[in-house]
Amino acid sequence: MAYSKQIEAALKKARASVGDRISVGSEEGLLMPSPGITASPDHIVLKLDNGYNIGIKYEGQAIKKSAKPEPRLVKQEFSYENAGHAHVRQSPGKHTITLLGAGGTIASRVDYSTGGAYADMTGEDLAALVPELGEVAHIRFESAFEKMSEDMAPADWQLLAKEAAKELNQSEGVVITHGTDTMHYTAAALSFMLDTPKPVVLTGAQRSSDRGSTDSVLNLICSAHAALSDIAEVGICMHATSSDDYCHLLRGTKARKMHSSMRNAFRPINSYPLANIYPDGRIEPLSSFKKRSSGKAKADTKFDGRIALLKAYPGADPDIISHYVGRGYRGIVVEATALGHVPTKSEKSWIPAVKAAVSSGVPVVVATQCIYGSVNPDVYTNLRILFHEAGATPAYDMTAETAYVKLGWVLAHAKGDKVKEMMAQNLKGEINPRLEPDMFLY
Ligand code: GLU
């Protein structure tokens, strides 16, 4: 939805377009596109210098364009028929990165009639809200889809991997804007699917980008720096602390959303961050990483989605395993307790069901629901029964989510014993043989 006819006429008279610095009565700021269904069309939206957006009910106040043009936004032709999509100043002399949109809160606005947020912002809209991005890089905008990440499935990971590989061959790095809930699944999937000589950085937000309190500004700026860095890995770049000070870049196979709402929700699991990334472009490496190189990015997206992720808990019914095997699933990941236990000698022992699954060719991979630490197939008798007698496969220190994604990728690339062998191999930094005490709750 565009602004009302009265506002459009007043803006035209003042020769003001989206991105211009204007005053409306006594308020001054950057003219933003009409937020569509989230605000009434007779309110003009300005971004104030403090970063907040305000809606001003237009009742014929004087509109004036600032004599000094706003330096950070470009004045390109803007059609009021297409209102809602801003134009962004580009920096042609700078290195190019691609902003690849995939929805999530970062691409959302609040619908003030319901209080709920919904995803409908393009990369251009986002970059218009964060004009500093244009100072870091020249940006190509691409959109894969606009989804909340709980609605994503392996086909979405495959599409993102293909798009990212294509973009990597035309820019210095790719930033994927994504919902945060399942970002760590996507990051793991892209880690296995992509062979990349350049950075692939996933980022998102815990507060929608149209709010003054949004975390997307720091996340996007740090992600742009990460995408231009030397770190040629798939990573997640989000707030390191609850303040707007710096971000962590986390290895895609070793990250997890650990809080439902805090801005520093993403933490490294059983590893250190790859690096601290500061908004001024400073990069402090904290782990060894694969370095940027020449060569082409390749996507190998074969994936077998017939996999399940189950949780073992006191009283859990082992029939769930037989259920999935009976439905033709090809692999199962169990989130077991601590070192890898499932009910073993109890009335509802999982051992017969695991043994039957493994002997029918369905691998059962065991990760720890403790999240931190590693599964160990040897230290207790019950563990030896599960791993050595029933034939389960340890995920070691992989998160259950990474083990789930890896199993789907491995099953599409190997058969029989080779699956077990590949699950134990460290393909993309997902297994860390040196766990340090200070990695816990890092
Ligand atoms: N549940 C939504 C998602 O994961 C919103 C959460 C977010 O983006 O932070 O896409």
Short mmCIF file of all heavy atoms in Angstrom, two decimals, residues 104-105 148-150 179-181 205-206 257, ligand 1:
data_model
loop_
_atom_site.label_atom_id
_atom_site.label_comp_id
_atom_site.label_asym_id
_atom_site.label_seq_id
_atom_site.Cartn_x
_atom_site.Cartn_y
_atom_site.Cartn_z
N GLY A 104 12.38 -14.41 7.75
CA GLY A 104 12.69 -14.32 9.18
C GLY A 104 12.36 -12.95 9.76
O GLY A 104 11.89 -12.04 9.06
N THR A 105 12.62 -12.79 11.04
CA THR A 105 12.32 -11.53 11.73
C THR A 105 13.09 -10.37 11.13
O THR A 105 12.60 -9.24 11.08
CB THR A 105 12.70 -11.67 13.23
OG1 THR A 105 11.86 -12.65 13.79
CG2 THR A 105 12.54 -10.38 13.98
N MET A 148 9.32 -17.76 7.44
CA MET A 148 9.76 -17.90 8.81
C MET A 148 10.52 -19.23 8.85
O MET A 148 10.12 -20.19 8.18
CB MET A 148 8.58 -17.89 9.78
CG MET A 148 7.96 -16.50 9.90
SD MET A 148 9.20 -15.30 10.50
CE MET A 148 8.21 -13.83 10.68
N SER A 149 11.58 -19.30 9.63
CA SER A 149 12.47 -20.44 9.44
C SER A 149 11.89 -21.75 9.98
O SER A 149 12.34 -22.83 9.60
CB SER A 149 13.85 -20.16 10.03
OG SER A 149 13.81 -20.10 11.42
N GLU A 150 10.85 -21.67 10.83
CA GLU A 150 10.22 -22.93 11.27
C GLU A 150 9.48 -23.59 10.10
O GLU A 150 9.13 -24.77 10.16
CB GLU A 150 9.26 -22.69 12.45
CG GLU A 150 8.11 -21.73 12.20
CD GLU A 150 8.47 -20.28 12.51
OE1 GLU A 150 9.67 -19.94 12.50
OE2 GLU A 150 7.54 -19.48 12.76
N GLY A 179 15.55 -16.40 9.21
CA GLY A 179 14.94 -16.54 10.54
C GLY A 179 15.92 -17.20 11.49
O GLY A 179 16.73 -18.03 11.08
N THR A 180 15.84 -16.82 12.75
CA THR A 180 16.86 -17.33 13.67
C THR A 180 16.53 -18.71 14.25
O THR A 180 17.44 -19.44 14.63
CB THR A 180 17.10 -16.35 14.84
OG1 THR A 180 15.87 -16.13 15.50
CG2 THR A 180 17.66 -15.04 14.34
N ASP A 181 15.24 -19.06 14.31
CA ASP A 181 14.88 -20.30 15.03
C ASP A 181 15.63 -21.51 14.50
O ASP A 181 16.11 -22.34 15.26
CB ASP A 181 13.37 -20.59 14.91
CG ASP A 181 12.54 -19.64 15.75
OD1 ASP A 181 13.08 -18.62 16.20
OD2 ASP A 181 11.34 -19.93 15.95
N ALA A 205 17.71 -11.55 13.08
CA ALA A 205 17.42 -10.59 14.13
C ALA A 205 16.41 -11.19 15.10
O ALA A 205 15.61 -12.04 14.71
CB ALA A 205 16.85 -9.30 13.54
N GLN A 206 16.47 -10.74 16.32
CA GLN A 206 15.50 -11.16 17.34
C GLN A 206 14.38 -10.13 17.47
O GLN A 206 13.36 -10.42 18.07
CB GLN A 206 16.20 -11.35 18.69
CG GLN A 206 17.24 -12.46 18.70
CD GLN A 206 16.61 -13.82 18.94
OE1 GLN A 206 15.78 -14.28 18.17
NE2 GLN A 206 17.00 -14.47 20.01
N LYS A 257 21.09 -21.82 18.55
CA LYS A 257 20.28 -20.78 19.21
C LYS A 257 20.01 -21.26 20.63
O LYS A 257 19.35 -22.27 20.83
CB LYS A 257 18.98 -20.55 18.44
CG LYS A 257 18.14 -19.41 19.01
CD LYS A 257 16.97 -19.03 18.11
CE LYS A 257 16.14 -17.94 18.76
NZ LYS A 257 15.06 -17.43 17.91
N1 GLU B 1 10.30 -17.92 14.18
C1 GLU B 1 10.77 -17.00 13.21
C2 GLU B 1 11.92 -17.56 12.37
O1 GLU B 1 12.75 -18.31 12.83
C3 GLU B 1 11.17 -15.69 13.80
C4 GLU B 1 12.41 -15.75 14.66
C5 GLU B 1 13.52 -14.91 14.10
O2 GLU B 1 13.68 -14.69 12.91
O3 GLU B 1 14.27 -14.45 14.94
O4 GLU B 1 11.98 -17.23 11.23
#
